[in-house]
Protein backbone atom coordinates (compact mmCIF):
# COMPACT_ATOMS: atom_id res chain seq x y z
CA UNK A 1 0.00 0.00 0.00
CA UNK A 2 1.85 3.10 -1.09
CA UNK A 3 -0.80 5.68 -0.27
CA UNK A 4 -0.06 6.65 3.29
CA UNK A 5 -2.69 7.59 5.84
CA UNK A 6 -1.75 10.56 8.00
CA UNK A 7 -3.74 11.20 11.14
CA UNK A 8 -3.35 14.41 13.13
CA UNK A 9 -4.43 14.00 16.73
CA UNK A 10 -4.95 17.48 18.16
CA UNK A 11 -5.64 16.04 21.65
CA UNK A 12 -6.88 18.73 24.07
CA UNK A 13 -5.80 21.59 21.84
CA UNK A 14 -7.81 23.78 19.52
CA UNK A 15 -10.04 26.78 19.16
CA UNK A 16 -12.21 28.38 16.51
CA UNK A 17 -9.13 30.44 15.69
CA UNK A 18 -7.02 27.32 15.20
CA UNK A 19 -9.57 25.85 12.80
CA UNK A 20 -9.02 28.93 10.64
CA UNK A 21 -5.26 29.19 11.14
CA UNK A 22 -4.38 25.52 10.87
CA UNK A 23 -7.16 23.36 9.46
CA UNK A 24 -8.17 25.76 6.69
CA UNK A 25 -4.61 26.12 5.24
CA UNK A 26 -4.04 22.36 5.55
CA UNK A 27 -7.20 21.61 3.57
CA UNK A 28 -6.30 24.28 0.99
CA UNK A 29 -2.83 22.79 0.68
CA UNK A 30 -4.15 19.25 0.22
CA UNK A 31 -6.61 20.44 -2.40
CA UNK A 32 -4.18 22.62 -4.36
CA UNK A 33 -1.33 20.12 -4.35
CA UNK A 34 -3.52 17.11 -5.12
CA UNK A 35 -2.11 15.25 -2.13
CA UNK A 36 -3.29 11.69 -2.61
CA UNK A 37 -2.45 10.43 0.89
CA UNK A 38 -5.43 10.18 3.16
CA UNK A 39 -5.25 13.06 5.66
CA UNK A 40 -7.44 12.70 8.73
CA UNK A 41 -7.58 15.48 11.32
CA UNK A 42 -8.96 14.70 14.79
CA UNK A 43 -9.82 17.90 16.69
CA UNK A 44 -11.61 17.93 20.07
CA UNK A 45 -15.25 16.83 19.72
CA UNK A 46 -16.79 20.30 20.19
CA UNK A 47 -15.11 21.40 16.95
CA UNK A 48 -15.96 18.33 14.83
CA UNK A 49 -18.93 19.82 13.06
CA UNK A 50 -17.26 23.12 12.30
CA UNK A 51 -14.10 21.31 11.18
CA UNK A 52 -16.19 19.09 8.89
CA UNK A 53 -17.65 22.16 7.20
CA UNK A 54 -14.21 23.71 6.70
CA UNK A 55 -12.84 20.67 4.86
CA UNK A 56 -15.98 20.07 2.79
CA UNK A 57 -15.09 19.50 -0.91
CA UNK A 58 -11.45 18.72 -0.12
CA UNK A 59 -9.79 15.35 0.47
CA UNK A 60 -9.20 16.08 4.15
CA UNK A 61 -11.26 13.93 6.49
CA UNK A 62 -12.31 14.79 10.04
CA UNK A 63 -12.09 12.08 12.71
CA UNK A 64 -13.00 11.85 16.39
CA UNK A 65 -10.56 11.27 19.25
CA UNK A 66 -12.89 9.14 21.34
CA UNK A 67 -16.44 7.84 21.70
CA UNK A 68 -18.53 6.24 24.43
CA UNK A 69 -19.68 2.62 24.42
CA UNK A 70 -23.28 3.67 25.14
CA UNK A 71 -25.62 4.87 22.41
CA UNK A 72 -27.81 7.21 24.45
CA UNK A 73 -29.13 7.91 27.94
CA UNK A 74 -27.82 9.04 31.29
CA UNK A 75 -24.10 9.21 30.55
CA UNK A 76 -23.20 12.81 31.26
CA UNK A 77 -20.39 14.23 29.21
CA UNK A 78 -20.17 11.43 26.66
CA UNK A 79 -20.68 11.31 22.89
CA UNK A 80 -22.07 8.36 20.94
CA UNK A 81 -21.36 6.77 17.58
CA UNK A 82 -24.81 7.88 16.41
CA UNK A 83 -23.92 11.48 17.16
CA UNK A 84 -20.70 11.09 15.18
CA UNK A 85 -22.62 9.56 12.28
CA UNK A 86 -25.14 12.37 12.50
CA UNK A 87 -22.40 14.90 11.72
CA UNK A 88 -20.75 12.68 9.06
CA UNK A 89 -17.72 11.58 11.06
CA UNK A 90 -16.43 8.18 9.92
CA UNK A 91 -13.11 7.67 11.71
CA UNK A 92 -12.71 7.30 15.48
CA UNK A 93 -9.53 6.90 17.53
CA UNK A 94 -9.98 4.17 20.12
CA UNK A 95 -7.69 3.26 23.00
CA UNK A 96 -5.12 6.03 22.77
CA UNK A 97 -2.57 5.55 25.56
CA UNK A 98 -3.65 8.86 27.12
CA UNK A 99 -7.20 7.48 27.43
CA UNK A 100 -5.76 4.31 28.97
CA UNK A 101 -3.61 6.29 31.41
CA UNK A 102 -5.68 9.32 32.38
CA UNK A 103 -9.18 7.88 31.99
CA UNK A 104 -8.52 4.35 33.23
CA UNK A 105 -9.60 2.73 29.96
CA UNK A 106 -8.59 -0.92 29.99
CA UNK A 107 -8.33 -3.45 27.19
CA UNK A 108 -11.90 -4.68 27.76
CA UNK A 109 -13.47 -1.22 27.56
CA UNK A 110 -11.37 -0.38 24.52
CA UNK A 111 -12.47 -3.61 22.81
CA UNK A 112 -16.10 -2.67 23.50
CA UNK A 113 -15.56 0.80 22.02
CA UNK A 114 -13.93 -0.81 18.99
CA UNK A 115 -16.97 -3.08 18.65
CA UNK A 116 -19.46 -0.20 18.92
CA UNK A 117 -17.56 1.78 16.29
CA UNK A 118 -17.45 -1.19 13.89
CA UNK A 119 -21.10 -2.05 14.39
CA UNK A 120 -21.99 1.52 13.50
CA UNK A 121 -20.00 0.96 10.28
CA UNK A 122 -17.47 3.60 11.26
CA UNK A 123 -13.73 3.00 11.04
CA UNK A 124 -11.84 2.51 14.30
CA UNK A 125 -8.24 3.65 14.64
CA UNK A 126 -7.02 1.35 17.39
CA UNK A 127 -3.93 2.48 19.31
CA UNK A 128 -1.73 -0.22 20.79
CA UNK A 129 1.78 -0.17 22.17
CA UNK A 130 4.09 -0.86 25.07
CA UNK A 131 5.32 1.16 28.05
CA UNK A 132 9.03 1.79 28.53
CA UNK A 133 8.99 -0.93 31.18
CA UNK A 134 7.60 -3.45 28.67
CA UNK A 135 10.17 -2.28 26.16
CA UNK A 136 13.04 -2.81 28.57
CA UNK A 137 11.69 -6.22 29.55
CA UNK A 138 11.36 -7.23 25.86
CA UNK A 139 7.65 -7.95 26.33
CA UNK A 140 6.39 -5.59 23.62
CA UNK A 141 5.07 -8.33 21.35
CA UNK A 142 3.21 -10.00 24.20
CA UNK A 143 1.62 -6.70 25.25
CA UNK A 144 0.45 -5.90 21.72
CA UNK A 145 -0.78 -9.45 21.20
CA UNK A 146 -2.96 -9.12 24.30
CA UNK A 147 -4.37 -5.79 23.10
CA UNK A 148 -5.25 -7.44 19.78
CA UNK A 149 -6.51 -10.77 21.15
CA UNK A 150 -9.19 -9.19 23.29
CA UNK A 151 -10.66 -7.63 20.15
CA UNK A 152 -10.60 -10.92 18.24
CA UNK A 153 -12.30 -12.56 21.25
CA UNK A 154 -15.13 -10.05 21.08
CA UNK A 155 -15.55 -9.67 17.33
CA UNK A 156 -14.28 -12.86 15.76
CA UNK A 157 -11.89 -13.36 12.90
CA UNK A 158 -13.09 -10.45 10.74
CA UNK A 159 -12.53 -7.97 13.60
CA UNK A 160 -9.80 -6.01 11.86
CA UNK A 161 -11.27 -5.85 8.34
CA UNK A 162 -11.38 -2.23 7.24
CA UNK A 163 -9.70 -0.80 10.31
CA UNK A 164 -6.55 1.12 11.19
CA UNK A 165 -4.12 -0.01 13.87
CA UNK A 166 -1.71 2.60 15.20
CA UNK A 167 1.34 1.05 16.78
CA UNK A 168 2.55 3.64 19.29
CA UNK A 169 5.26 2.82 21.81
CA UNK A 170 4.00 4.83 24.80
CA UNK A 171 7.53 5.90 25.70
CA UNK A 172 7.90 7.49 22.25
CA UNK A 173 4.76 9.63 22.53
CA UNK A 174 5.62 13.26 23.16
CA UNK A 175 9.17 12.32 24.21
CA UNK A 176 11.08 13.23 21.02
CA UNK A 177 12.51 9.69 21.14
CA UNK A 178 11.69 7.15 18.47
CA UNK A 179 12.64 3.48 18.28
CA UNK A 180 15.09 2.32 15.63
CA UNK A 181 13.64 1.91 12.15
CA UNK A 182 14.30 -1.83 12.38
CA UNK A 183 12.37 -2.06 15.60
CA UNK A 184 9.38 -0.23 14.10
CA UNK A 185 9.48 -2.47 11.02
CA UNK A 186 9.72 -5.62 13.15
CA UNK A 187 6.77 -4.58 15.30
CA UNK A 188 4.55 -3.50 12.40
CA UNK A 189 5.39 -6.70 10.55
CA UNK A 190 4.66 -8.73 13.68
CA UNK A 191 1.26 -7.01 14.11
CA UNK A 192 0.41 -7.52 10.44
CA UNK A 193 1.34 -11.21 10.45
CA UNK A 194 -0.37 -11.83 13.77
CA UNK A 195 -3.66 -10.37 12.56
CA UNK A 196 -3.47 -12.09 9.18
CA UNK A 197 -2.88 -15.44 10.90
CA UNK A 198 -5.95 -15.08 13.14
CA UNK A 199 -8.07 -13.74 10.29
CA UNK A 200 -7.68 -16.87 8.25
CA UNK A 201 -7.50 -14.87 5.03
CA UNK A 202 -4.37 -13.62 3.36
CA UNK A 203 -5.73 -10.36 2.08
CA UNK A 204 -4.58 -7.41 4.14
CA UNK A 205 -7.69 -5.30 4.66
CA UNK A 206 -6.33 -3.11 7.45
CA UNK A 207 -3.68 -0.42 7.76
CA UNK A 208 -0.85 -0.20 10.24
CA UNK A 209 0.45 3.15 11.34
CA UNK A 210 3.36 4.21 13.46
CA UNK A 211 2.90 6.96 16.07
CA UNK A 212 5.19 8.57 18.63
CA UNK A 213 7.38 11.68 18.09
CA UNK A 214 6.95 11.71 14.32
CA UNK A 215 8.24 15.05 13.03
CA UNK A 216 9.27 16.91 9.89
CA UNK A 217 12.88 15.72 10.28
CA UNK A 218 12.38 11.99 10.82
CA UNK A 219 9.44 11.52 8.43
CA UNK A 220 11.60 10.82 5.40
CA UNK A 221 13.33 7.89 7.11
CA UNK A 222 10.09 6.63 8.64
CA UNK A 223 8.43 6.63 5.22
CA UNK A 224 10.89 4.01 4.02
CA UNK A 225 9.74 1.38 6.53
CA UNK A 226 7.97 -1.20 4.38
CA UNK A 227 5.20 -2.32 6.75
CA UNK A 228 4.20 1.16 7.90
CA UNK A 229 1.13 2.40 6.03
CA UNK A 230 0.99 5.81 7.67
CA UNK A 231 1.50 7.90 10.78
CA UNK A 232 -0.40 9.16 13.78
CA UNK A 233 0.98 12.56 14.63
CA UNK A 234 0.40 14.51 17.83
CA UNK A 235 2.26 17.68 18.79
CA UNK A 236 3.82 18.40 15.39
CA UNK A 237 0.36 18.36 13.79
CA UNK A 238 -0.32 21.63 15.64
CA UNK A 239 2.40 23.44 13.71
CA UNK A 240 1.28 24.41 10.22
CA UNK A 241 4.79 24.59 8.75
CA UNK A 242 5.94 21.31 10.21
CA UNK A 243 2.77 19.46 9.30
CA UNK A 244 2.84 20.73 5.72
CA UNK A 245 6.49 19.66 5.47
CA UNK A 246 5.41 16.18 6.51
CA UNK A 247 2.66 16.12 3.88
CA UNK A 248 5.11 17.32 1.22
CA UNK A 249 7.67 14.67 2.16
CA UNK A 250 5.10 11.93 2.03
CA UNK A 251 3.76 12.95 -1.34
CA UNK A 252 7.25 13.19 -2.84
CA UNK A 253 8.27 9.88 -1.33
CA UNK A 254 5.53 7.86 -3.06
P1 LIG B 1 3.32 12.81 19.45
O1 LIG B 1 1.95 12.09 19.81
O2 LIG B 1 3.41 12.87 17.95
O3 LIG B 1 3.22 14.16 20.08
O4 LIG B 1 4.42 11.97 20.02
C1 LIG B 1 1.55 10.97 19.11
C2 LIG B 1 0.26 10.44 19.67
O5 LIG B 1 -0.05 10.71 20.84
O6 LIG B 1 -0.48 9.74 18.98
Amino acid sequence: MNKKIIIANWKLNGSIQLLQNLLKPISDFVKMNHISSKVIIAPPSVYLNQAYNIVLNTNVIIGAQNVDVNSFGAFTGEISVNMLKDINIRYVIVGHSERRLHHQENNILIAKKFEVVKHAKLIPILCIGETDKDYNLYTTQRVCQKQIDIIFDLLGETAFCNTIIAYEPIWAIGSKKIPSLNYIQDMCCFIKDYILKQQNINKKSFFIQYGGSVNENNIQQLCKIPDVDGFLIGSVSLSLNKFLKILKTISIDK
Side-chain angles (χ1 to χ4, degrees):
M1 285 181 214
N2 54 13
K3 260 197 211 171
K4 302 265 190 260
I5 303 182
I6 309 302
I7 304 179
N9 177 10
W10 284 12
K11 308 189 181 186
L12 187 54
N13 300 291
S15 59
I16 291 176
Q17 191 78 49
L18 200 72
L19 295 180
Q20 289 307 324
N21 295 350
L22 183 60
L23 182 62
K24 179 80 175 69
I26 291 170
S27 60
D28 289 345
F29 177 87
V30 168
K31 195 172 180 177
M32 273 156 48
N33 293 282
H34 307 288
I35 303 287
S36 60
S37 300
K38 195 172 265 189
V39 180
I40 303 172
I41 312 279
S45 57
V46 285
Y47 299 116
L48 287 171
N49 200 21
Q50 202 162 343
Y52 176 83
N53 287 321
I54 289 176
V55 303
L56 215 58
N57 302 323
T58 75
N59 282 335
V60 174
I61 298 167
I62 300 299
Q65 295 178 17
N66 182 36
V67 73
D68 193 38
V69 282
N70 298 290
S71 303
F72 57 87
F75 301 99
T76 302
E78 298 294 348
I79 58 167
S80 72
V81 282
N82 292 337
M83 292 171 187
L84 294 178
K85 279 177 92 163
D86 208 19
I87 57 167
N88 302 302
I89 300 300
R90 288 180 48 232
Y91 291 81
V92 189
I93 299 174
V94 172
H96 190 281
S97 63
E98 287 150 15
R99 299 286 324 164
R100 295 176 191 259
L101 181 68
H102 303 302
H103 300 271
Q104 290 75 45
E105 294 196 6
N106 59 23
N107 281 342
I108 296 171
L109 178 66
I110 290 159
K112 283 188 189 146
K113 288 191 174 191
F114 188 98
E115 183 184 33
V116 164
V117 172
K118 275 215 89 184
H119 279 171
K121 302 216 172 343
L122 304 183
I123 299 173
I125 301 155
L126 173 73
C127 300
I128 61 171
E130 81 281 12
T131 62
D132 52 351
K133 191 169 164 216
D134 303 321
Y135 177 78
N136 290 324
L137 290 171
Y138 303 102
T139 55
T140 300
Q141 292 194 355
R142 212 181 320 142
V143 168
C144 291
Q145 222 169 305
K146 211 168 148 197
Q147 291 168 333
I148 292 169
D149 281 346
I150 195 147
I151 290 178
F152 272 125
D153 290 347
L154 200 62
L155 280 134
E157 62 184 40
T158 58
F160 287 94
C161 291
N162 202 21
T163 64
I164 300 173
I165 299 120
Y167 167 61
E168 301 202 292
I170 297 168
W171 54 271
I173 295 176
S175 66
K176 299 198 167 73
K177 286 189 287 193
I178 63 164
S180 71
L181 302 185
N182 282 342
Y183 182 86
I184 298 173
Q185 165 57 20
D186 287 351
M187 272 314 298
C188 291
C189 182
F190 167 79
I191 293 165
K192 179 188 77 178
D193 289 346
Y194 189 73
I195 293 176
L196 282 176
K197 209 165 96 200
Q198 316 285 317
Q199 255 187 201
N200 238 343
I201 42 170
N202 284 326
K203 200 172 158 289
K204 183 168 169 257
S205 56
F206 51 89
F207 294 84
I208 300 182
Q209 296 194 302
Y210 167 76
S213 294
V214 175
N215 64 35
E216 72 288 8
N217 300 318
N218 59 27
I219 189 70
Q220 199 165 6
Q221 289 304 312
L222 288 168
C223 269
K224 299 196 191 317
I225 306 177
D227 279 316
V228 172
D229 304 315
F231 303 96
L232 182 48
I233 304 172
S235 55
V236 167
S237 72
L238 294 166
S239 153
L240 181 61
N241 283 344
K242 292 177 183 174
F243 193 65
L244 292 188
K245 260 190 201 168
I246 290 178
L247 294 184
K248 270 184 219 158
T249 308
I250 282 166
S251 41
I252 292 166
D253 198 74
K254 275 197 292 87

